[in-house]
């Protein structure tokens, strides 16, 4: 089933940390040689140690190394890599990078530059979703710049409304207007924030949903007009729009809803001619799904989907990019049990202030149904320059209850000394009655943190 595609002999991994390791593992299993790239701050990193070759691509700041396209191209030339896996973050959703690689005859393991571009502009993405038959949040048809149009749209859809940046990402450039009186100020604040963060002040208006869940569908397209879905992930537990804990299946979705929405999404992505892994994100409220955006890359939380489907998503990405197609059909996909991922960040678990530094002790949990993806080890010094995610704990069980039981045990076993991590927050969450019931929406965690602060 998973025979090695013959097209790639060497893959360069344009990333760092746990995701670089994740990709490296898939390459090893396929017998493909690997090249790690790293900044001077990451010379001792695990992804560098485990790769067949490594190239230093610049000083610590990401813009000079992991985002430095000429340096990464040079590393491809030097090592003779014939494909690049971008991981997530950094250059993974950079259409220009995908185009430049293609122009140099190097395969970008991901969708086409054009598909990245469409989904990277949220107004264009929403328009495309509508065209493909995916339900969207009611709102403006295009960009809004003046107060009069904003008021007209807001009155049509009804308050509260949310103003969002077309170029948005990471929850920036979003402002809520509760009433007509707030609208003008929210509009100008959102535009100013969008301009500062993305250099583009186009914004659009959507109905603000009061208590939605964040539900996203994993898709894989073969680039030839077919696509499959691998079920949903519930990522409602967020702080400042950043996911903290994810689970699959969602405690709020039935098998019928999964099949219906998954079918709509897979058909749409197939019709688009999309190649590789993608995630179609929805807000879900009162039984209805509303598209918010599509991520054209592998997600941090992909392992929970792998746990319940037993499908290696990176292996499938490589196969599709190599022209070998998907190894599975929709009817082959079975969903088994329940999986939860806890993001372990090097942060103070109460204030969330970053906590880089030397890890003096490191012991990861094990046992049935437990997976830890991390580049950390005892004696590793976490550099202060990058994202604070240092690992992911993924636990699988036959039922949600068994998964929670195992997660509680695994979190108790996890030891990270020398720095602060978010493990204590996860220990609180796993013992919370609302979480036990699966009873939470996208605002739940912020409310809990406000109470316990
Ligand atoms: P970004 O790309 O910046 O992450 P998204 O469109 O994915 O932006 O939205 C991020 C988060 O913002 C969502 O998960 C949700 O918590 C909140 N959000 C976005 N749109 C709405 C909406 N229409 N109503 C309520 N909350 C929203």
């Amino acid at each position: 089933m998973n025979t090695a595609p013959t097209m790639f002999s060497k893959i360069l991994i344009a990333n760092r940390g746990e995701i670089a390791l994740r990709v490296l593992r898939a390459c090893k299993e396929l017998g493909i040689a690997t090249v790690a790239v790293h900044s001077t701050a990451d010379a001792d990193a695990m992804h560098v140690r485990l790769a067949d070759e490594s190239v230093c691509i610049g000083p610590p700041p990401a813009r000079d190394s992991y985002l430095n396209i000429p340096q990464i191209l040079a590393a491809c030339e030097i090592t003779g890599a014939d494909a690049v896996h971008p991981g997530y973050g950094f250059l993974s959703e950079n259409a220009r990078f995908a185009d430049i690689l293609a122009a140099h005859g190097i395969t970008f393991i991901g969708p086409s530059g054009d598909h990245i571009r469409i989904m990277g502009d949220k107004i264009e993405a929403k328009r495309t979703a509508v065209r493909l038959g995916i339900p969207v949040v009611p709102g403006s048809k295009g960009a809004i710049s003046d107060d009069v149009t904003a008021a007209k749209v807001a009155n049509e859809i009804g308050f509260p409304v949310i103003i969002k940046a077309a170029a948005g990402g990471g929850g920036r450039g979003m402002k809520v207007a509760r009433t007509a009186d707030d609208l003008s100020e929210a509009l100008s604040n959102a535009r100013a924030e969008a301009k500062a963060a993305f250099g583009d002040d186009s914004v659009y208006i959507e109905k603000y949903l009061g208590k939605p869940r964040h539900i996203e569908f994993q898709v894989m397209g073969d680039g030839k007009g077919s696509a499959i879905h691998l079920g949903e992930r519930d990522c409602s537990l967020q702080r400042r729009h950043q996911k903290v804990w994810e689970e699959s299946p969602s405690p709020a979705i039935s098998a019928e809803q999964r099949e219906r929405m998954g079918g709509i999404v897979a058909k749409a992505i197939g019709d688009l001619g999309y190649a590789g892994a993608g995630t179609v994100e929805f807000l879900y409220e009162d039984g209805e799904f509303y598209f918010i955006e599509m991520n054209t890359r592998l997600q941090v939380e992909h392992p929970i989907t792998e746990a319940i489907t037993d499908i290696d998503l990176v292996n499938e990405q490589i196969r599709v990019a190599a022209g070998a197609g998907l190894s599975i059909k929709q009817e082959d996909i079975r969903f088994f049990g329940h999986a939860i991922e806890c993001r372990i960040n090097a942060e103070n678990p109460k204030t969330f202030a970053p906590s880089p530094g030397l890890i003096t002790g490191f012991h990861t949990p094990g046992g049935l149904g437990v997976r830890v993806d991390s580049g950390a080890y005892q004696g590793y010094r976490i550099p202060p320059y990058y994202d604070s995610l240092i690992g992911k704990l993924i636990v699988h069980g036959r039922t949600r209850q068994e998964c929670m039981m195992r997660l509680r045990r695994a979190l108790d076993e996890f030891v990270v000394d020398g720095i602060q991590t978010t493990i204590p927050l996860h220990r609180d969450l796993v013992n919370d009655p609302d979480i036990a019931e699966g009873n939470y929406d996208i605002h739940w965690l912020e409310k809990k943190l406000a109470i316990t602060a």
Side-chain angles (χ1 to χ4, degrees):
M1 198 167 92
N2 287 329
T3 47
T6 49
M7 200 169 114
F8 303 134
S9 55
K10 199 184 270 187
I11 292 178
L12 181 141
I13 303 162
N15 216 301
R16 63 182 300 283
E18 69 84 20
I19 195 60
L21 276 183
R22 167 70 191 87
V23 174
L24 215 140
R25 287 178 174 139
C27 294
K28 284 208 172 188
E29 289 176 16
L30 287 166
I32 300 171
T34 50
V35 180
V37 292
H38 65 91
S39 69
T40 50
D42 277 342
D44 290 333
M46 192 57 96
H47 75 281
V48 178
R49 295 180 181 206
L50 291 187
D52 297 306
E53 290 171 76
S54 63
V55 181
C56 180
I57 51 166
R63 66 174 177 280
D64 299 326
S65 49
Y66 297 103
L67 292 171
N68 186 333
I69 295 177
Q71 284 286 32
I72 292 171
L73 267 185
C76 290
E77 296 270 317
I78 295 164
T79 57
D82 45 11
V84 171
H85 194 300
Y88 53 67
F90 295 130
L91 295 169
S92 62
E93 290 177 293
N94 185 313
R96 202 169 65 89
F97 182 54
D99 289 344
I100 290 173
L101 286 179
H104 284 77
I106 300 165
T107 305
F108 175 76
I109 302 177
S112 68
D114 287 344
H115 284 155
I116 298 174
R117 221 168 261 119
I118 291 171
M119 295 304 169
D121 177 334
K122 296 172 121 192
I123 295 176
E124 196 54 42
K126 225 173 141 176
R127 218 177 260 140
T128 306
V130 171
R131 179 168 64 75
L132 294 169
I134 297 176
V136 301
V137 190
S140 59
K141 297 273 179 294
I144 298 262
S145 48
D146 64 288
D147 286 7
V148 178
T149 320
K152 188 168 169 287
V153 173
N155 282 322
E156 267 165 33
I157 56 180
F159 285 93
V161 297
I162 183 167
I163 299 159
K164 298 168 72 172
R172 283 172 303 174
M174 285 194 276
K175 295 283 171 238
V176 177
R178 303 256 161 215
T179 66
D181 294 342
D182 306 337
L183 189 62
S184 174
E185 194 182 333
L187 187 67
S188 58
N189 286 348
R191 287 168 62 89
E193 205 172 302
K195 182 81 186 166
F198 313 109
D200 173 0
D201 69 356
S202 321
V203 296
Y204 61 107
I205 297 187
E206 270 180 3
K207 177 148 195 65
Y208 179 76
L209 302 169
K211 48 175 178 52
R213 298 181 80 111
H214 174 115
I215 308 257
E216 56 182 38
F217 279 82
Q218 176 70 54
V219 290
M220 288 284 324
D222 67 358
K224 299 170 190 152
S226 301
I228 56 172
H229 77 88
L230 293 103
E232 83 286 3
R233 294 181 287 256
D234 194 319
C235 312
S236 303
L237 288 172
Q238 302 180 356
R239 180 182 166 271
R240 301 212 173 142
H241 304 301
Q242 299 289 322
K243 297 161 190 168
V244 169
W245 153 310
E246 304 98 348
E247 54 185 301
S248 185
S250 166
I253 301 296
S254 69
E256 294 71 43
Q257 283 173 308
R258 173 172 315 110
E259 200 171 327
R260 187 181 67 81
M261 254 339 272
I264 291 173
V265 170
K267 174 163 188 317
I269 295 309
D271 289 349
L272 192 61
Y274 187 85
T279 298
V280 184
E281 297 193 335
F282 294 91
L283 293 177
Y284 172 81
E285 190 172 86
D286 298 331
E288 300 289 338
F289 290 92
Y290 304 97
F291 170 88
I292 46 172
E293 67 166 341
M294 176 172 183
N295 292 321
T296 52
R297 54 169 166 83
L298 195 68
Q299 305 266 113
V300 175
E301 59 274 21
H302 78 277
I304 54 174
T305 299
E306 296 186 324
I308 65 157
T309 59
D310 212 17
I311 291 164
D312 180 328
L313 289 173
V314 179
N315 178 303
E316 295 300 325
Q317 285 188 297
I318 295 171
R319 285 183 57 103
V320 169
L326 293 167
S327 76
I328 36 187
K329 297 194 189 65
Q330 190 70 54
E331 56 267 31
D332 300 331
I333 296 166
R334 298 275 174 277
F335 300 106
F336 179 73
H338 196 94
I340 296 175
E341 174 181 277
C342 295
R343 296 192 187 198
I344 315 293
N345 292 346
E347 288 171 0
N348 177 302
K350 295 236 181 286
T351 64
F352 299 95
S355 177
L358 183 67
I359 297 181
T360 54
F362 194 71
H363 175 80
T364 56
L368 183 60
V370 177
R371 165 176 173 181
V372 177
D373 278 19
S374 174
Y377 55 89
Q378 184 167 334
Y380 175 61
R381 185 176 287 281
I382 299 164
Y385 311 103
Y386 312 108
D387 192 273
S388 62
L389 182 84
I390 57 155
K392 308 184 305 203
L393 169 62
I394 304 104
V395 175
H396 185 230
R398 285 170 300 182
T399 59
R400 186 167 188 270
Q401 206 183 359
E402 185 176 71
C403 183
M404 293 279 281
M405 190 176 84
R406 216 165 253 168
L407 178 59
R408 194 170 296 120
R409 186 271 295 168
L411 284 165
D412 281 345
E413 267 177 53
F414 214 138
V415 178
V416 185
D417 291 330
I419 56 155
Q420 293 184 302
T421 74
T422 48
I423 293 171
L425 169 68
H426 289 296
R427 288 187 186 135
D428 276 356
L429 293 178
V430 78
N431 288 309
D432 190 285
D434 281 343
I435 304 291
E437 297 284 309
N439 182 18
Y440 56 83
D441 62 26
I442 60 167
H443 304 296
W444 186 92
L445 183 58
E446 300 249 359
K447 282 185 202 147
K448 178 187 167 81
L449 293 171
I451 293 164
T452 53

